[in-house]
Amino acid sequence: MVKRDLYRNILVGLIAIGILLIIRFFVFEPIRIHNNNMSPILPNKTQVFAMKRTKLENLDLVAYRHNGKKYVGRIIGTPGQSVVAMDNVVYLNQIILTEPYIKQNQASYLKTHDDDFTTDFRQDKLAAKTYWILNDARDVKADSRTFGAIKQKDILGELKFKYAPISAFGFVENDEAKIENGFDTE
């Protein structure tokens, strides 16, 4: 009787571990934020889940890999779109992109610097399966301005849920900018 219960418990445990591993590799990836590139939405030491296999759209927050390192950023341009920045203004397909998420970082930066917060760049028509990704803290240029367009295969997933610290527990709030720019928020 005891031996049978032991085998059953081991089998149940192995099945549970297998299910968790499948979910981990095919559904989400845990990401720890190591800097303030995406503050105030995702400040340093925040831990989030990147949901894999979601449809990527403009202004989604994503985790991606470049040269073996993980980064987080915001999708500014999707395949087929053109993205240009001039004089701290970002244009998406020749239309000004409203960016409420950078206002706090931009105000702090411009108090102590005379140069542009968003350095000028031009990306004509993104190729298929490539995305233009920028940090919300634009003074940190470890994003598409340095790396170029990010391939879809290098995107780990969309940042959807904060699980640590416990005071930040909950969904990542990111709808304001999408609504202001007329992007679908479903």
Side-chain angles (χ1 to χ4, degrees), residues 6-7 12 20 38 45 52 66-67 108 117 120 122 138 147 165-166 172 180:
L6 175 65
Y7 290 141
V12 168
L20 289 174
M38 295 304 294
K45 298 183 181 171
K52 297 179 179 188
H66 180 74
N67 288 340
S108 297
F117 179 63
D120 293 354
R122 179 180 195 91
R138 300 284 168 77
F147 309 143
I166 199 69
V172 174
E180 284 188 33

Side-chain angles (χ1 to χ4, degrees), residues 1 6 8 18 45 49 51 146 163 168-169 173 183-185:
M1 190 79 144
L6 175 65
R8 184 192 64 197
K45 298 183 181 171
F49 287 125
M51 303 305 290
T146 301
Y163 63 91
F169 188 82
E173 298 293 328
F183 297 124
D184 191 13
T185 58

Side-chain angles (χ1 to χ4, degrees), residues 14-31:
L14 289 174
I15 290 171
I17 289 170
I19 290 170
L20 289 174
L21 287 173
I22 289 171
I23 290 171
R24 162 61 179 86
F25 287 111
F26 295 106
V27 179
F28 68 83
E29 171 136 355
I31 303 289

Side-chain angles (χ1 to χ4, degrees), residues 6-140:
L6 175 65
Y7 290 141
R8 184 192 64 197
N9 290 343
I10 289 172
L11 181 61
V12 168
L14 289 174
I15 290 171
I17 289 170
I19 290 170
L20 289 174
L21 287 173
I22 289 171
I23 290 171
R24 162 61 179 86
F25 287 111
F26 295 106
V27 179
F28 68 83
E29 171 136 355
I31 303 289
R32 181 182 176 125
I33 310 297
H34 293 286
N35 51 44
N36 282 314
N37 294 357
M38 295 304 294
S39 70
I41 291 177
L42 296 172
N44 189 21
K45 298 183 181 171
T46 303
Q47 296 178 44
V48 294
F49 287 125
M51 303 305 290
K52 297 179 179 188
R53 305 195 192 318
T54 61
K55 182 180 179 202
L56 299 174
E57 299 173 341
N58 290 90
L59 305 182
D60 283 345
L61 300 174
V62 295
Y64 61 98
R65 183 174 302 180
H66 180 74
N67 288 340
K69 288 182 69 179
K70 291 181 185 177
Y71 297 90
V72 294
R74 183 182 301 274
I75 293 177
I76 300 298
T78 60
Q81 295 179 327
S82 66
V83 185
V84 176
M86 292 186 306
D87 301 324
N88 284 324
V89 178
V90 175
Y91 298 86
L92 179 63
N93 293 332
Q94 293 89 35
I95 299 171
I96 294 174
L97 188 65
T98 304
E99 299 185 285
Y101 44 83
I102 67 167
K103 287 186 181 176
Q104 182 178 340
N105 292 332
Q106 186 174 28
S108 297
Y109 180 83
L110 293 176
K111 283 180 185 176
T112 58
H113 295 80
D114 289 332
D115 55 338
D116 287 340
F117 179 63
T118 303
T119 54
D120 293 354
F121 64 83
R122 179 180 195 91
Q123 177 61 48
D124 293 322
K125 195 170 182 183
L126 286 157
K129 297 184 180 182
T130 62
Y131 296 83
W132 196 261
I133 299 174
L134 297 178
N135 298 322
D136 285 358
R138 300 284 168 77
D139 54 320
V140 180

